[in-house]
Every structure is written in structure tokens, then in C-alpha cells.
Amino acid sequence: LDSDQIIKVFDVFDENNTCYYTMEYIDGCNLYEYVTSKTCFKRLKEEEAIRIIRSVGETLKILHDKNTNHFDVKPQNIMISNEGRVVLIDFGAAHHCNNNYENNTYLAYRSDGYSAPDIPQAQKYYFFSPTYDIYSLGATLYFMLTGLEPIDFNDDSCPPFVKKLKSWECIKMSLLRNRDDRPQSIDEFLAMLPS
């Protein structure tokens, strides 16, 4: 995965019965720190939030083109360099599916508020679906615009000002519990965002 928006790994090696890797250093902070360090409102302006989420979405397209889900998109796994570069990190939960779009493993954990509720937990297989990461994109956009964790998100718990934002429809559709009701591709997700 060769992209400026994906953390670069330089070397992988085994030592002392442990696997190690070296990766690039990003001079900056993660998105959670970036948002919470802002003014007393602890949230981003919509234009900046959309710029960041577009960048993460374009990065996920690279993974999805290779039948791979990241499965852990959240503010703590998105770095913002001091120059404004947006970089997706932490591929520890990422899964690649074979040509039949099936994988015989399942995830052992979830990131509350950011993991799609329909990710299989007890089954021994899952099918590749961009909708898992699209849920996480919607949740991350919600966090950037509100400063609130999207745990148990629903229309009633959403601050009224968010429903007046241009990106509200995209957030609402991305966070639907049924994956068939969400945008089905990153391109569909990005097309819902205001330009």
C-alpha cells in the first residue's frame, strides 16, 4: 500500500520471539488530540472536518480496491502532521479477503462508537464490505463536528446544530445500523459530502 496518506513501514523483523517493525515518524498529533486541543468548543469547522474525512475516505478506497477492510478507523488512528498531512495508521485489525470476498477469521474487539454494529463477532467468517469502514468514517466525522463520542448514536441524541450542517445527511446515512442502508462504497460516501 503505497500512499502518502498511509503510514509507511520500513522494516519487519523477528527478535527475542517477537515480531518488530519500524515505521515513519509523523511529526504532529492524532485527530482526537487535534480536535480536543481546539478552542473551548472542542470541535472543528465543517469545512476542515470535510477536508480531513475526504482524505481518509480516499485512503480507504486504496484498501477497498484490494478487498481489505481497515476495521479500526477512529480519531486515534488518524494522524495530522504539523504540515496538515492526514495519515491513516494502525492496521492491526485490518483484514484482507480472498477472491471470493470471504475470510475465515473474525475480529476479537471493537472500538466503541466507531466500529460498525454489524461486524461479525461470533461467526467464523465475514464478507468484505466497504460499509464497515463507512460506518467508522461517519462516526469520525460526527466526532470532529461535535467533539462528542458517537456511542449509541441516534437522531435523538444528536445535538440540534448538527442537523443543520451540510454534512448531516452523510453522517446520518453512514451511521445506520443496517449495512444495506448505508452508502455502499467510498465513492457513494464522498458524493454525499458537500463540496
Side-chain angles (χ1 to χ4, degrees), residues 45-58 60-61 134 136-142 144-145 162 165-174 183 185-195:
K45 292 183 178 175
E46 188 175 24
E47 296 76 21
E48 183 177 15
I50 288 170
R51 179 188 64 79
I52 292 169
I53 212 69
R54 277 190 184 282
S55 181
V56 177
E58 292 293 336
L60 286 172
K61 275 177 62 172
I134 287 169
S136 302
L137 279 176
T140 300
L141 181 56
Y142 176 83
M144 284 192 282
L145 294 172
V162 176
L165 295 174
K166 297 174 186 172
S167 54
W168 165 240
E169 193 64 25
C170 184
I171 293 169
K172 183 174 76 170
M173 296 300 293
S174 300
S185 70
I186 295 295
D187 285 334
E188 194 179 328
F189 172 87
L190 294 175
M192 295 181 74
L193 290 172
S195 49

Short mmCIF file of all heavy atoms in Angstrom, two decimals, residues 45-58 60-61 134 136-142 144-145 162 165-174 183 185-195:
data_model
loop_
_atom_site.label_atom_id
_atom_site.label_comp_id
_atom_site.label_asym_id
_atom_site.label_seq_id
_atom_site.Cartn_x
_atom_site.Cartn_y
_atom_site.Cartn_z
N LYS A 45 -14.51 23.22 12.46
CA LYS A 45 -15.44 23.82 11.49
C LYS A 45 -15.75 22.77 10.44
O LYS A 45 -14.91 21.92 10.13
CB LYS A 45 -14.83 25.06 10.86
CG LYS A 45 -14.68 26.21 11.84
CD LYS A 45 -14.14 27.44 11.17
CE LYS A 45 -14.05 28.57 12.19
NZ LYS A 45 -13.43 29.76 11.63
N GLU A 46 -16.94 22.85 9.87
CA GLU A 46 -17.38 21.82 8.93
C GLU A 46 -16.44 21.68 7.74
O GLU A 46 -16.13 20.56 7.31
CB GLU A 46 -18.81 22.10 8.46
CG GLU A 46 -19.39 20.97 7.65
CD GLU A 46 -20.84 21.19 7.28
OE1 GLU A 46 -21.29 22.36 7.23
OE2 GLU A 46 -21.53 20.19 7.04
N GLU A 47 -15.95 22.78 7.20
CA GLU A 47 -15.07 22.73 6.03
C GLU A 47 -13.80 21.94 6.32
O GLU A 47 -13.34 21.14 5.50
CB GLU A 47 -14.71 24.14 5.55
CG GLU A 47 -15.89 24.96 5.05
CD GLU A 47 -16.77 25.51 6.19
OE1 GLU A 47 -16.29 25.61 7.35
OE2 GLU A 47 -17.93 25.84 5.91
N GLU A 48 -13.21 22.17 7.49
CA GLU A 48 -11.99 21.45 7.86
C GLU A 48 -12.28 19.98 8.10
O GLU A 48 -11.51 19.10 7.67
CB GLU A 48 -11.34 22.09 9.09
CG GLU A 48 -10.02 21.42 9.44
CD GLU A 48 -9.32 22.06 10.63
OE1 GLU A 48 -9.96 22.84 11.38
OE2 GLU A 48 -8.12 21.78 10.80
N ALA A 49 -13.37 19.69 8.78
CA ALA A 49 -13.74 18.29 9.05
C ALA A 49 -13.96 17.53 7.74
O ALA A 49 -13.53 16.38 7.59
CB ALA A 49 -14.98 18.23 9.93
N ILE A 50 -14.61 18.16 6.78
CA ILE A 50 -14.87 17.51 5.49
C ILE A 50 -13.56 17.29 4.73
O ILE A 50 -13.37 16.22 4.13
CB ILE A 50 -15.88 18.35 4.66
CG1 ILE A 50 -17.26 18.23 5.29
CG2 ILE A 50 -15.90 17.89 3.21
CD1 ILE A 50 -18.29 19.18 4.72
N ARG A 51 -12.65 18.24 4.79
CA ARG A 51 -11.35 18.06 4.13
C ARG A 51 -10.63 16.84 4.70
O ARG A 51 -10.11 16.00 3.96
CB ARG A 51 -10.48 19.31 4.31
CG ARG A 51 -9.10 19.18 3.68
CD ARG A 51 -8.18 20.35 4.05
NE ARG A 51 -7.88 20.44 5.47
CZ ARG A 51 -6.97 19.69 6.10
NH1 ARG A 51 -6.30 18.77 5.44
NH2 ARG A 51 -6.76 19.86 7.39
N ILE A 52 -10.64 16.70 6.01
CA ILE A 52 -9.96 15.57 6.66
C ILE A 52 -10.65 14.25 6.32
O ILE A 52 -10.00 13.27 5.96
CB ILE A 52 -9.89 15.79 8.19
CG1 ILE A 52 -8.95 16.96 8.50
CG2 ILE A 52 -9.44 14.51 8.90
CD1 ILE A 52 -9.00 17.45 9.93
N ILE A 53 -11.98 14.22 6.40
CA ILE A 53 -12.69 12.96 6.17
C ILE A 53 -12.59 12.55 4.70
O ILE A 53 -12.56 11.36 4.38
CB ILE A 53 -14.15 13.03 6.67
CG1 ILE A 53 -14.61 11.65 7.17
CG2 ILE A 53 -15.10 13.54 5.62
CD1 ILE A 53 -13.96 11.17 8.40
N ARG A 54 -12.54 13.52 3.79
CA ARG A 54 -12.32 13.19 2.36
C ARG A 54 -10.97 12.50 2.18
O ARG A 54 -10.84 11.54 1.44
CB ARG A 54 -12.38 14.45 1.50
CG ARG A 54 -13.76 14.89 1.12
CD ARG A 54 -13.73 16.00 0.07
NE ARG A 54 -15.07 16.44 -0.20
CZ ARG A 54 -15.95 15.80 -0.95
NH1 ARG A 54 -15.60 14.66 -1.51
NH2 ARG A 54 -17.16 16.27 -1.13
N SER A 55 -9.96 13.03 2.84
CA SER A 55 -8.63 12.45 2.74
C SER A 55 -8.61 11.01 3.26
O SER A 55 -8.05 10.11 2.63
CB SER A 55 -7.63 13.31 3.52
OG SER A 55 -6.34 12.78 3.42
N VAL A 56 -9.24 10.78 4.40
CA VAL A 56 -9.30 9.42 4.96
C VAL A 56 -10.11 8.51 4.03
O VAL A 56 -9.73 7.36 3.79
CB VAL A 56 -9.90 9.42 6.38
CG1 VAL A 56 -10.02 8.00 6.93
CG2 VAL A 56 -9.06 10.28 7.32
N GLY A 57 -11.19 9.03 3.48
CA GLY A 57 -12.00 8.25 2.54
C GLY A 57 -11.21 7.84 1.32
O GLY A 57 -11.28 6.68 0.87
N GLU A 58 -10.44 8.77 0.75
CA GLU A 58 -9.62 8.45 -0.42
C GLU A 58 -8.59 7.37 -0.07
O GLU A 58 -8.27 6.50 -0.89
CB GLU A 58 -8.91 9.70 -0.95
CG GLU A 58 -9.84 10.73 -1.57
CD GLU A 58 -10.50 10.23 -2.86
OE1 GLU A 58 -9.96 9.33 -3.52
OE2 GLU A 58 -11.59 10.75 -3.19
N LEU A 60 -9.02 5.01 2.24
CA LEU A 60 -9.74 3.74 2.36
C LEU A 60 -10.07 3.15 1.00
O LEU A 60 -10.15 1.92 0.86
CB LEU A 60 -11.01 3.94 3.19
CG LEU A 60 -10.77 4.11 4.69
CD1 LEU A 60 -12.07 4.49 5.39
CD2 LEU A 60 -10.17 2.85 5.30
N LYS A 61 -10.26 3.99 -0.01
CA LYS A 61 -10.51 3.47 -1.36
C LYS A 61 -9.35 2.58 -1.82
O LYS A 61 -9.56 1.56 -2.47
CB LYS A 61 -10.69 4.62 -2.35
CG LYS A 61 -12.09 5.16 -2.42
CD LYS A 61 -12.22 6.34 -3.35
CE LYS A 61 -11.88 6.02 -4.78
NZ LYS A 61 -12.19 7.14 -5.70
N ILE A 134 -17.20 2.57 6.26
CA ILE A 134 -18.03 3.76 6.04
C ILE A 134 -18.72 4.16 7.34
O ILE A 134 -18.83 5.35 7.66
CB ILE A 134 -19.02 3.52 4.89
CG1 ILE A 134 -18.25 3.53 3.55
CG2 ILE A 134 -20.14 4.56 4.88
CD1 ILE A 134 -19.02 3.05 2.36
N SER A 136 -17.49 3.78 10.28
CA SER A 136 -16.43 4.43 11.06
C SER A 136 -16.13 5.83 10.56
O SER A 136 -15.84 6.73 11.36
CB SER A 136 -15.16 3.58 11.02
OG SER A 136 -15.42 2.28 11.51
N LEU A 137 -16.20 6.03 9.24
CA LEU A 137 -16.00 7.38 8.69
C LEU A 137 -17.09 8.33 9.18
O LEU A 137 -16.81 9.46 9.58
CB LEU A 137 -16.02 7.33 7.16
CG LEU A 137 -14.77 6.89 6.44
CD1 LEU A 137 -15.02 6.82 4.93
CD2 LEU A 137 -13.61 7.83 6.74
N GLY A 138 -18.34 7.88 9.14
CA GLY A 138 -19.45 8.70 9.62
C GLY A 138 -19.30 9.05 11.08
O GLY A 138 -19.54 10.18 11.51
N ALA A 139 -18.87 8.06 11.88
CA ALA A 139 -18.69 8.28 13.32
C ALA A 139 -17.55 9.27 13.57
O ALA A 139 -17.65 10.13 14.45
CB ALA A 139 -18.41 6.94 14.01
N THR A 140 -16.49 9.16 12.79
CA THR A 140 -15.35 10.08 12.94
C THR A 140 -15.74 11.49 12.53
O THR A 140 -15.37 12.47 13.21
CB THR A 140 -14.15 9.57 12.12
OG1 THR A 140 -13.78 8.27 12.59
CG2 THR A 140 -12.97 10.50 12.23
N LEU A 141 -16.51 11.63 11.47
CA LEU A 141 -16.98 12.95 11.05
C LEU A 141 -17.88 13.55 12.14
O LEU A 141 -17.75 14.74 12.47
CB LEU A 141 -17.73 12.85 9.73
CG LEU A 141 -18.28 14.15 9.13
CD1 LEU A 141 -17.18 15.19 8.94
CD2 LEU A 141 -18.98 13.86 7.80
N TYR A 142 -18.76 12.75 12.71
CA TYR A 142 -19.62 13.20 13.81
C TYR A 142 -18.77 13.72 14.98
O TYR A 142 -19.03 14.79 15.53
CB TYR A 142 -20.52 12.04 14.26
CG TYR A 142 -21.39 12.35 15.44
CD1 TYR A 142 -22.60 13.02 15.28
CD2 TYR A 142 -21.01 11.97 16.73
CE1 TYR A 142 -23.41 13.31 16.38
CE2 TYR A 142 -21.82 12.25 17.82
CZ TYR A 142 -23.01 12.92 17.65
OH TYR A 142 -23.81 13.20 18.73
N MET A 144 -15.68 14.88 14.89
CA MET A 144 -14.99 16.12 14.54
C MET A 144 -15.92 17.33 14.64
O MET A 144 -15.50 18.42 15.02
CB MET A 144 -14.41 16.04 13.13
CG MET A 144 -13.16 15.19 13.03
SD MET A 144 -12.35 15.41 11.43
CE MET A 144 -13.38 14.40 10.37
N LEU A 145 -17.19 17.13 14.28
CA LEU A 145 -18.13 18.25 14.25
C LEU A 145 -18.77 18.55 15.60
O LEU A 145 -19.28 19.65 15.81
CB LEU A 145 -19.23 17.96 13.22
CG LEU A 145 -18.74 17.92 11.77
CD1 LEU A 145 -19.85 17.43 10.85
CD2 LEU A 145 -18.23 19.28 11.32
N VAL A 162 -26.08 20.07 14.64
CA VAL A 162 -25.50 19.15 13.65
C VAL A 162 -26.49 18.90 12.52
O VAL A 162 -26.12 18.78 11.36
CB VAL A 162 -25.07 17.83 14.32
CG1 VAL A 162 -24.55 16.84 13.28
CG2 VAL A 162 -24.00 18.09 15.37
N LEU A 165 -26.17 21.18 9.60
CA LEU A 165 -24.94 21.18 8.81
C LEU A 165 -25.16 20.51 7.45
O LEU A 165 -26.01 19.63 7.31
CB LEU A 165 -23.83 20.44 9.57
CG LEU A 165 -23.38 21.08 10.88
CD1 LEU A 165 -22.37 20.18 11.58
CD2 LEU A 165 -22.76 22.46 10.64
N LYS A 166 -24.36 20.92 6.48
CA LYS A 166 -24.49 20.36 5.13
C LYS A 166 -24.15 18.87 5.10
O LYS A 166 -24.63 18.14 4.25
CB LYS A 166 -23.55 21.11 4.18
CG LYS A 166 -23.90 22.58 4.02
CD LYS A 166 -22.85 23.28 3.18
CE LYS A 166 -23.10 24.77 3.15
NZ LYS A 166 -22.01 25.51 2.51
N SER A 167 -23.31 18.41 6.02
CA SER A 167 -22.88 17.02 6.02
C SER A 167 -23.77 16.10 6.86
O SER A 167 -23.49 14.92 6.99
CB SER A 167 -21.43 16.92 6.50
OG SER A 167 -21.29 17.55 7.75
N TRP A 168 -24.87 16.64 7.42
CA TRP A 168 -25.72 15.85 8.30
C TRP A 168 -26.27 14.60 7.63
O TRP A 168 -26.25 13.50 8.20
CB TRP A 168 -26.88 16.70 8.85
CG TRP A 168 -27.98 15.88 9.46
CD1 TRP A 168 -29.27 15.83 9.08
CD2 TRP A 168 -27.87 14.99 10.58
NE1 TRP A 168 -29.98 14.97 9.86
CE2 TRP A 168 -29.14 14.43 10.80
CE3 TRP A 168 -26.83 14.59 11.40
CZ2 TRP A 168 -29.41 13.51 11.81
CZ3 TRP A 168 -27.08 13.67 12.42
CH2 TRP A 168 -28.35 13.15 12.61
N GLU A 169 -26.74 14.72 6.39
CA GLU A 169 -27.33 13.56 5.71
C GLU A 169 -26.29 12.45 5.54
O GLU A 169 -26.60 11.27 5.71
CB GLU A 169 -27.89 13.99 4.34
CG GLU A 169 -28.77 12.95 3.69
CD GLU A 169 -30.06 12.67 4.46
OE1 GLU A 169 -30.54 13.53 5.22
OE2 GLU A 169 -30.58 11.55 4.30
N CYS A 170 -25.07 12.81 5.24
CA CYS A 170 -23.99 11.83 5.09
C CYS A 170 -23.71 11.13 6.42
O CYS A 170 -23.55 9.90 6.46
CB CYS A 170 -22.73 12.52 4.57
SG CYS A 170 -21.37 11.40 4.24
N ILE A 171 -23.66 11.89 7.50
CA ILE A 171 -23.44 11.30 8.83
C ILE A 171 -24.57 10.35 9.16
O ILE A 171 -24.34 9.19 9.55
CB ILE A 171 -23.33 12.40 9.91
CG1 ILE A 171 -22.08 13.24 9.70
CG2 ILE A 171 -23.35 11.79 11.31
CD1 ILE A 171 -22.02 14.49 10.54
N LYS A 172 -25.79 10.82 9.01
CA LYS A 172 -26.98 10.02 9.37
C LYS A 172 -27.01 8.70 8.58
O LYS A 172 -27.24 7.64 9.15
CB LYS A 172 -28.25 10.84 9.13
CG LYS A 172 -29.53 10.14 9.53
CD LYS A 172 -30.72 11.06 9.39
CE LYS A 172 -31.09 11.20 7.94
NZ LYS A 172 -32.38 11.88 7.73
N MET A 173 -26.76 8.78 7.28
CA MET A 173 -26.81 7.57 6.44
C MET A 173 -25.66 6.62 6.76
O MET A 173 -25.84 5.40 6.74
CB MET A 173 -26.78 7.96 4.95
CG MET A 173 -27.98 8.75 4.49
SD MET A 173 -29.54 7.88 4.71
CE MET A 173 -29.35 6.54 3.54
N SER A 174 -24.50 7.14 7.09
CA SER A 174 -23.34 6.30 7.38
C SER A 174 -23.48 5.55 8.70
O SER A 174 -22.91 4.47 8.87
CB SER A 174 -22.07 7.15 7.44
OG SER A 174 -21.86 7.79 6.21
N PRO A 183 -24.28 4.04 2.71
CA PRO A 183 -23.61 4.14 1.41
C PRO A 183 -22.80 2.85 1.19
O PRO A 183 -22.18 2.34 2.11
CB PRO A 183 -22.69 5.35 1.57
CG PRO A 183 -23.32 6.17 2.65
CD PRO A 183 -23.97 5.18 3.58
N SER A 185 -20.28 2.28 -1.05
CA SER A 185 -18.89 2.44 -1.47
C SER A 185 -18.36 3.77 -0.97
O SER A 185 -19.14 4.67 -0.61
CB SER A 185 -18.78 2.39 -3.00
OG SER A 185 -19.36 3.56 -3.56
N ILE A 186 -17.05 3.89 -0.95
CA ILE A 186 -16.44 5.16 -0.55
C ILE A 186 -16.85 6.26 -1.52
O ILE A 186 -17.13 7.40 -1.11
CB ILE A 186 -14.90 5.03 -0.49
CG1 ILE A 186 -14.49 4.05 0.62
CG2 ILE A 186 -14.26 6.39 -0.27
CD1 ILE A 186 -14.82 4.49 2.04
N ASP A 187 -16.91 5.95 -2.81
CA ASP A 187 -17.34 6.96 -3.78
C ASP A 187 -18.74 7.48 -3.46
O ASP A 187 -19.01 8.68 -3.55
CB ASP A 187 -17.30 6.40 -5.21
CG ASP A 187 -15.88 6.29 -5.74
OD1 ASP A 187 -15.02 7.06 -5.29
OD2 ASP A 187 -15.64 5.42 -6.61
N GLU A 188 -19.63 6.57 -3.08
CA GLU A 188 -21.00 6.99 -2.70
C GLU A 188 -20.99 7.85 -1.46
O GLU A 188 -21.68 8.86 -1.36
CB GLU A 188 -21.85 5.73 -2.50
CG GLU A 188 -23.33 6.00 -2.44
CD GLU A 188 -24.15 4.72 -2.26
OE1 GLU A 188 -23.73 3.66 -2.77
OE2 GLU A 188 -25.21 4.80 -1.61
N PHE A 189 -20.15 7.47 -0.48
CA PHE A 189 -19.99 8.26 0.75
C PHE A 189 -19.49 9.66 0.42
O PHE A 189 -20.05 10.66 0.86
CB PHE A 189 -19.04 7.54 1.71
CG PHE A 189 -18.66 8.36 2.91
CD1 PHE A 189 -19.43 8.36 4.06
CD2 PHE A 189 -17.51 9.15 2.90
CE1 PHE A 189 -19.09 9.11 5.17
CE2 PHE A 189 -17.15 9.92 3.99
CZ PHE A 189 -17.94 9.90 5.14
N LEU A 190 -18.41 9.73 -0.38
CA LEU A 190 -17.82 11.03 -0.70
C LEU A 190 -18.76 11.91 -1.51
O LEU A 190 -18.76 13.14 -1.35
CB LEU A 190 -16.51 10.83 -1.46
CG LEU A 190 -15.36 10.16 -0.65
CD1 LEU A 190 -14.16 9.90 -1.56
CD2 LEU A 190 -14.98 10.99 0.56
N ALA A 191 -19.58 11.28 -2.35
CA ALA A 191 -20.52 12.06 -3.16
C ALA A 191 -21.60 12.71 -2.29
O ALA A 191 -22.19 13.72 -2.69
CB ALA A 191 -21.17 11.16 -4.22
N MET A 192 -21.85 12.16 -1.11
CA MET A 192 -22.86 12.73 -0.20
C MET A 192 -22.34 13.95 0.54
O MET A 192 -23.13 14.72 1.09
CB MET A 192 -23.31 11.67 0.80
CG MET A 192 -24.05 10.51 0.19
SD MET A 192 -24.57 9.32 1.45
CE MET A 192 -25.92 10.25 2.19
N LEU A 193 -21.02 14.11 0.58
CA LEU A 193 -20.45 15.25 1.30
C LEU A 193 -20.56 16.52 0.48
O LEU A 193 -20.43 16.48 -0.74
CB LEU A 193 -18.96 14.99 1.59
CG LEU A 193 -18.64 13.92 2.62
CD1 LEU A 193 -17.13 13.66 2.63
CD2 LEU A 193 -19.12 14.33 4.01
N PRO A 194 -20.80 17.64 1.13
CA PRO A 194 -20.81 18.91 0.38
C PRO A 194 -19.42 19.22 -0.16
O PRO A 194 -18.43 18.89 0.47
CB PRO A 194 -21.26 19.95 1.42
CG PRO A 194 -21.03 19.31 2.74
CD PRO A 194 -21.07 17.83 2.54
N SER A 195 -19.38 19.85 -1.33
CA SER A 195 -18.06 20.17 -1.91
C SER A 195 -17.54 21.49 -1.43
O SER A 195 -18.17 22.25 -0.78
CB SER A 195 -18.16 20.14 -3.42
OG SER A 195 -19.24 20.90 -3.87
#
